[in-house]
Amino acid sequence: MHQVLLYSSLFIAVLGLYFGLYACGRVAKISKATNDLDWDAVANMTGDLATTKKTIQTLNNRINGMHSPKIADQELMLQLLQNQGKAQPNGKMIGG
């Protein structure tokens, strides 16, 4: 039983060391990639992200049907159906 605890703790320690080194490598990679980044570039990226976000929201609204022309078509059809029952004068006088 003691050997299982010994080997499992050794395995967990090696695994922790691996994850720590992996995290340090990722941080170093990000630090190296953003080394020459200045505030103008950050401002440009922020503007680009805002533009992209607005475009995606507009596209999602269209996909979800919020700006669908089907609603206008349905309203026109309902108006036509309501107006069919009413007699509309065509400007001609009949009789008299």
Side-chain angles (χ1 to χ4, degrees):
M1 181 68 179
H2 294 290
Q3 290 179 346
V4 172
L5 292 175
L6 179 67
Y7 290 125
S8 63
S9 62
L10 179 66
F11 175 73
I12 291 172
V14 170
L15 191 64
L17 180 65
Y18 170 74
F19 283 136
L21 291 175
Y22 180 73
C24 287
R26 287 181 54 128
V27 169
K29 183 178 176 183
I30 291 172
S31 177
K32 185 178 178 182
T34 59
N35 193 18
D36 59 339
L37 192 63
D38 58 347
W39 286 108
D40 291 330
V42 172
N44 288 337
M45 284 191 300
T46 304
D48 291 342
L49 286 174
T51 303
T52 305
K53 181 179 176 184
K54 183 66 176 170
T55 304
I56 290 171
Q57 285 177 343
T58 304
L59 179 64
N60 283 339
N61 288 340
R62 287 183 186 158
I63 290 172
N64 290 335
M66 291 179 69
H67 299 290
S68 176
K70 294 178 183 177
I71 296 172
D73 291 341
Q74 290 174 354
E75 289 176 0
L76 287 174
M77 292 298 288
L78 286 174
Q79 286 178 355
L80 286 175
L81 288 174
Q82 290 173 354
N83 291 339
Q84 274 184 348
K86 298 177 184 176
Q88 295 180 351
N90 59 4
K92 296 181 182 176
M93 296 185 77
I94 299 176

